């Protein structure tokens, strides 16, 4: 009988399952703890995201994780983090995925300073490209935010953490029945906040909000508590990005405004449509 693994007690160099050598802890979130490992069989680094015990003991959550995996594994694209497998290691559950040395998109917007427009435009196009592939695989992200967008020193962008994603076909906002609103209020589409059906255009809204933040340095709604921010999204009375940064080119401002429409029928219908509109922007 192998004792249950306690990942909080792992020491660097320790090997799990005769295969994964522990290098370091990268982070911890609501769902899991992210560890960098050396896969000794194929001799390369990868990430193991160990589910927190409260998650793995919650059947609803486990269903969601397996769900995430099933759909995310279909996505292979340079702008999306590659998911490999679902593992059961010494009594713990983990997801293995590609290791991508990088920082989050938030690191590109330090001190609320706007980003160079050409850079913001390229990142926006990369997000649209990666998400287009995800949407074609039937995956809606539902939690796009700067913390889930990774960028390396060469400027390669990858979207990570389809943790709240569900198959597009099911369409319902996951877990409202257990009382969670899943997602980050600062970047969340109004219809998702209201617990309505969510489709690809919810991700388009979130990309719009991220674009707004890249070109102004601040998210459109960030004053007050979670509830207040949610209410502001539903109201949709954000200042135009040119009011905050007069240098934003008019056609870029238009693309951002359209992506952020409260009425989802007024947004771009697909990520490809958003990409095309971004390609037409003259800086």
């Amino acid at each position: 009988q192998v004792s249950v693994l306690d990942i909080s007690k792992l020491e660097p160099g320790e090997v799990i399952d005769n295969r994964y050598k522990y290098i370091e802890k990268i982070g911890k979130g609501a769902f899991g703890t992210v560890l960098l490992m050396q896969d000794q069989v194929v001799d390369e680094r990868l990430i193991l995201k160990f589910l927190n015990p409260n998650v793995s003991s919650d059947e609803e959550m486990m269903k969601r994780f397996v769900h995430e995996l099933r759909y995310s594994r279909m996505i292979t694209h340079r702008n999306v983090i590659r998911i490999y497998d679902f593992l059961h290691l010494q009594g713990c559950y983990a997801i293995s995925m590609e290791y991508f040395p990088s920082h989050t998109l938030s690191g590109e917007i330090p001190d609320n300073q706007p980003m160079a427009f050409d850079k913001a435009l390229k990142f926006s196009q990369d997000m649209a490209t990666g998400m287009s592939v995800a949407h074609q695989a039937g995956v809606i992200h539902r939690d796009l935010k700067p913390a889930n967008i990774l960028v390396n020193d060469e400027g390669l962008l990858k979207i990570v953490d389809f943790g709240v994603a569900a198959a597009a076909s099911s369409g319902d906002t996951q877990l409202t029945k257990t009382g969670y609103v899943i997602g980050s209020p600062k970047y969340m589409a109004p219809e998702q906040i209201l617990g309505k059906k969510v489709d690809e255009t919810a991700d388009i809204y979130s990309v719009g909000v991220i674009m707004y933040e890249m070109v102004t340095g601040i998210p459109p709604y960030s004053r007050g508590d979670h509830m207040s921010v949610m209410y502001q999204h539903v109201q949709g009375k954000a200042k135009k990005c040119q009011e905050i940064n007069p240098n934003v080119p008019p056609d870029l401002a238009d693309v951002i405004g359209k992506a952020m429409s409260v009425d989802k029928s007024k947004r771009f219908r697909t990520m490809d449509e958003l990409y095309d509109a971004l390609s037409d922007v003259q800086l």
Side-chain angles (χ1 to χ4, degrees):
Q1 175 62 28
V2 182
S3 59
V4 173
L5 180 64
D6 181 351
I7 57 172
S8 65
K9 296 204 169 79
L10 277 179
E11 296 286 335
E14 239 177 281
V15 177
I16 306 171
D17 206 38
N18 297 324
R19 175 166 189 178
Y20 303 104
K21 185 163 121 187
Y22 175 57
I23 300 173
E24 63 178 348
K25 177 169 152 181
I26 290 195
K28 187 170 168 49
F31 294 106
T33 303
V34 180
L35 305 183
L36 174 59
M37 314 295 272
Q38 181 80 18
D39 181 340
Q40 297 188 306
V41 173
V42 291
D43 196 29
E44 64 180 35
R45 292 187 163 196
L46 52 69
I47 293 293
L48 289 185
K49 183 176 182 178
F50 279 91
L51 302 200
N52 295 339
N54 60 323
V55 175
S56 47
S57 61
D58 178 335
E59 264 181 57
E60 190 65 31
M61 291 283 216
M62 280 303 281
K63 270 194 205 135
R64 243 191 65 207
F65 245 92
V66 173
H67 208 86
E68 168 194 357
L69 192 81
R70 187 176 305 145
Y71 290 99
S72 304
R73 275 180 71 175
M74 300 177 196
I75 311 170
T76 48
H77 190 270
R78 65 193 294 267
N79 294 126
V80 178
I81 287 285
R82 184 88 178 95
I83 304 265
Y84 300 134
D85 215 347
F86 190 57
L87 306 169
H88 187 223
L89 302 166
Q90 287 172 237
C92 297
Y93 291 96
I95 290 177
S96 59
M97 58 185 87
E98 158 192 11
Y99 171 52
F100 178 55
S102 55
H103 51 272
T104 69
L105 189 60
S106 318
E108 298 277 333
I109 322 169
D111 315 318
N112 300 97
Q113 289 307 307
M115 204 184 275
F117 297 130
D118 56 345
K119 196 182 213 183
L121 195 57
K122 182 194 175 291
F123 286 157
S124 304
Q125 287 177 308
D126 289 347
M127 281 187 269
T129 308
M131 283 312 304
S132 168
V133 173
H135 288 167
Q136 283 158 24
V139 178
I140 298 166
H141 192 293
R142 295 161 186 261
D143 193 22
L144 286 170
K145 56 185 175 185
N148 285 338
I149 311 289
L150 303 179
V151 181
N152 73 3
D153 294 339
E154 279 77 62
L156 175 59
L157 176 150
K158 288 183 190 274
I159 301 161
V160 70
D161 228 350
F162 286 75
V164 292
S169 57
S170 69
D172 57 325
T173 299
Q174 287 295 98
L175 292 195
T176 41
K177 58 179 174 295
T178 43
Y180 300 101
V181 174
I182 292 295
S184 306
K186 274 187 199 172
Y187 303 93
M188 200 191 289
E191 64 273 18
Q192 189 172 353
I193 287 167
L194 295 170
K196 294 180 178 167
K197 276 197 184 300
V198 166
D199 59 24
E200 285 90 344
T201 57
D203 285 340
I204 288 171
Y205 180 91
S206 300
V207 171
V209 175
I210 295 169
M211 284 160 52
Y212 184 107
E213 184 173 356
M214 289 193 288
V215 301
T216 64
I218 52 172
Y221 310 112
S222 52
R223 289 178 174 265
D225 59 10
H226 271 10
M227 286 309 289
S228 152
V229 168
M230 287 180 176
Y231 182 69
Q232 292 165 53
H233 279 285
V234 174
Q235 292 293 100
K237 295 193 169 82
K239 281 186 174 165
K240 298 239 185 300
C241 49
Q242 287 165 305
E243 285 180 53
I244 297 169
N245 181 356
N247 300 321
V248 179
D251 41 357
L252 180 55
D254 290 345
V255 171
I256 293 171
K258 182 171 178 178
M260 277 177 57
S261 302
V262 172
D263 175 351
K264 67 181 192 179
S265 68
K266 297 202 167 96
R267 293 174 205 153
F268 299 97
R269 287 191 307 266
T270 63
M271 286 287 176
D272 292 340
E273 215 175 89
L274 171 59
Y275 182 90
D276 291 343
L278 289 165
S279 304
D280 291 339
V281 169
Q282 300 294 317
L283 291 182

